């Protein structure tokens, strides 16, 4: 009888399935949701609170949101983020959206972590970021006036550990879905593109011009990335080995994850190391700035000529198209802000 009474009194989290845009449902596979971490109202709310709470850092000054700000599509406007001790990393913070559709589940620029839950472990203990220990985090949360009750509602226990913390953060991060750009609305016959934007899309898709779609998708791939690792001709020699440092395979040296082209209005600077401050610089790189190296991606077909050699008009139009992929509703969504 005692078991049945406990089950009657136990709080059951409310399921909260992801609101998947119809265009996603029609064109790509279902999102990746771990069976041991289903989306719930309470889990998402807890994850959001944790994401914006500097309690995770050693000195209570830095939250996840400091390097992944909503107004920057959950990236950092600075080239390199500084941690609690003022130390800088060597890579630009990746934006956070549409993460549940990263089917290979390899995260970070170099793919060193498998799964969103595991990704959330690293910044807390990284000496260049929050510089904390999980034991300290657990103690602080356990002694907090609100968190034990919130964990009980989300996960059925007041005993807080790092696994539950990262599960909650992952639940919140999976809700960060971006699908309302001007180009999205164009595909739904709800907006009209300018002639420049249309030509820019054609440049993007044309193998004799931009030839961008192999790595960054098309009008049939709303992610605008293949989530695969490529050497896109940034350097002839590498100071950062990228994927190669993770795999130990020299053939992977200089390869980094293709970022989504969504929300470029908000996510400057660009590339894994934030070397390009403007979209014009990015386009010029692919047009005239490609550097050859032993691991250059075969898709960089015109590396011998330095790049695609786009005309000034095609560059301007390509930029116009790329900017049409920005989702202003996403960065202003109150569900994603620290209310």
């Amino acid at each position: 009888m005692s078991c049945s009474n406990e089950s009657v009194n136990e709080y059951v989290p409310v399921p909260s399935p992801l609101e998947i845009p119809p265009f996603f449902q029609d064109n790509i596979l279902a999102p990746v949701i771990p069976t041991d971490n289903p989306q719930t109202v309470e889990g998402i709310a807890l994850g959001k609170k944790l994401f914006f709470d500097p309690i995770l850092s050693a000195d209570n000054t830095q939250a996840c949101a400091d390097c992944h700000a909503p107004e920057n599509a959950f990236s950092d406007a600075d080239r390199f983020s500084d941690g609690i001790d003022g130390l800088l990393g060597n890579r630009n913070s990746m934006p956070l959206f549409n993460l549940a559709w990263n089917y290979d589940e390899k995260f970070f620029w170099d793919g060193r972590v498998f799964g969103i839950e595991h990704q959330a472990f690293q910044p807390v203990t990284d000496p260049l970021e929050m510089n904390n220990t999980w034991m300290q985090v657990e103690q602080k949360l356990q002694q907090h006036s609100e968190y034990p009750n919130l964990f009980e509602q989300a996960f059925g226990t007041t005993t807080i550990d790092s696994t539950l913390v990262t599960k909650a953060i992952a639940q919140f991060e999976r809700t960060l879905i971006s699908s309302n750009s001007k180009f999205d609305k164009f595909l739904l016959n709800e907006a009209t593109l300018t002639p420049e934007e249309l030509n820019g899309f054609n440049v993007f898709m044309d193998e004799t011009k931009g030839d961008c779609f192999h790595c960054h998708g098309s009008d049939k791939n709303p992610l605008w990335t293949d989530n695969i690792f490529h050497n896109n001709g940034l350097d002839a020699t590498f100071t950062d080995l990228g994927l190669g440092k993770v795999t130990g395979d020299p053939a992977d040296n200089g390869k980094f994850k293709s970022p989504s082209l969504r929300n470029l209005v908000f996510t400057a600077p660009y590339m894994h190391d934030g070397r390009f401050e403007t979209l014009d610089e990015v386009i010029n790189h692919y047009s005239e700035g490609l550097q050859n190296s032993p691991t250059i991606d075969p898709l960089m077909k015109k590396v011998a000529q330095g790049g695609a050699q786009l005309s000034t008009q095609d560059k301007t139009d390509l930029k116009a198209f790329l900017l049409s992929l920005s989702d202003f509703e996403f960065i202003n969504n109150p569900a994603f802000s620290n209310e």
Side-chain angles (χ1 to χ4, degrees):
M1 290 296 292
S2 60
C3 291
S4 63
N5 287 337
E6 286 177 5
S7 64
V8 168
N9 295 329
E10 184 178 341
Y11 185 87
V12 178
V14 179
S16 182
L18 291 182
E19 296 181 14
I20 303 174
F23 190 70
F24 285 41
Q25 290 182 325
D26 293 342
N27 287 277
I28 56 177
L29 298 174
V32 178
I33 309 290
T35 55
D36 66 347
N37 192 25
Q39 298 288 117
T40 67
V41 171
E42 293 78 6
I44 293 166
L46 173 58
K48 178 180 177 179
K49 182 175 176 64
L50 290 164
F51 188 88
F52 287 99
D53 195 338
I55 196 172
L56 298 182
S57 64
D59 63 357
N60 298 312
T61 63
Q62 189 169 59
C64 304
D66 288 328
C67 299
H68 298 282
E71 63 268 25
N72 300 119
F74 292 89
S75 66
D76 193 341
D78 292 334
R79 181 177 181 183
F80 303 127
S81 302
D82 58 337
I84 65 168
D85 297 321
L87 301 174
L88 296 178
N90 65 345
R91 293 180 184 160
N92 186 244
S93 292
M94 296 197 84
L96 305 178
F97 52 80
N98 300 341
L99 301 180
W101 288 272
N102 179 5
Y103 302 115
D104 290 339
E105 293 203 83
K106 294 178 180 177
F107 289 89
F108 291 108
W109 282 106
D110 57 13
R112 66 184 181 272
V113 166
F114 182 85
I116 302 177
E117 283 79 0
H118 293 109
Q119 180 277 328
F121 273 106
Q122 295 220 347
V124 170
T125 57
D126 191 321
L128 299 180
E129 297 186 59
M130 294 179 175
N131 197 18
N132 208 350
T133 69
W134 275 108
M135 183 177 294
Q136 287 179 307
V137 171
E138 292 164 359
Q139 289 176 348
K140 285 197 290 184
L141 293 174
Q142 200 71 64
Q143 295 164 4
H144 193 272
S145 61
E146 297 176 74
Y147 276 117
N149 182 55
L150 294 175
F151 274 87
E152 183 174 30
Q153 292 186 341
F155 297 111
T157 178
T158 57
T159 302
I160 299 171
D161 63 25
S162 60
T163 299
L164 296 183
V165 172
T166 57
K167 280 187 173 184
I169 292 173
Q171 283 191 45
F172 170 64
E173 289 182 340
R174 287 191 175 95
T175 69
L176 303 177
I177 298 172
S178 176
S179 64
N180 274 316
S181 69
K182 181 180 181 180
F183 195 83
D184 294 315
K185 293 172 183 176
F186 164 73
L187 294 176
L188 295 170
N189 296 314
E190 296 172 2
T192 303
L193 297 184
T194 66
E196 291 77 16
E197 289 166 341
L198 282 170
N199 182 55
F201 175 61
N202 290 331
V203 171
F204 182 93
M205 296 295 297
D206 190 334
E207 292 196 59
T208 67
K209 291 188 175 182
D211 193 19
C212 314
F213 67 93
H214 286 105
C215 300
H216 289 292
S218 68
D219 53 335
K220 301 300 183 185
N221 175 7
L223 303 179
W224 295 101
T225 175
D226 61 3
N227 278 314
I228 295 174
F229 302 84
H230 301 274
N231 171 0
N232 63 339
L234 287 173
D235 300 297
T237 58
F238 312 117
T239 55
D240 186 340
L241 297 181
L243 181 65
K245 185 175 182 180
V246 175
T247 65
D249 185 347
D252 290 332
N253 287 350
K255 293 182 180 180
F256 296 89
K257 180 189 283 286
S258 299
S260 174
L261 298 181
R262 282 187 176 274
N263 299 317
L264 294 176
V265 168
F266 319 117
T267 59
Y270 307 105
M271 301 297 170
H272 69 276
D273 57 4
R275 69 178 64 187
F276 297 138
E277 294 184 7
T278 68
L279 207 46
D280 299 282
E281 291 177 76
V282 174
I283 293 170
N284 287 337
H285 162 71
Y286 287 109
S287 183
E288 297 96 37
L290 295 182
Q291 301 290 311
N292 206 349
S293 67
T295 61
I296 187 80
D297 199 288
L299 293 169
M300 304 294 110
K301 301 167 189 172
K302 297 184 179 180
V303 63
Q305 294 82 46
Q309 302 295 323
L310 297 177
S311 69
T312 300
Q313 188 63 57
D314 281 348
K315 287 182 181 181
T316 300
D317 294 351
L318 177 58
K319 179 181 177 181
F321 159 68
L322 292 173
L323 294 178
S324 79
L325 297 174
S326 293
D327 181 352
F328 288 82
E329 293 179 31
F330 174 70
I331 68 159
N332 292 301
N333 189 333
F336 305 152
S337 66
N338 189 22
E339 299 168 333

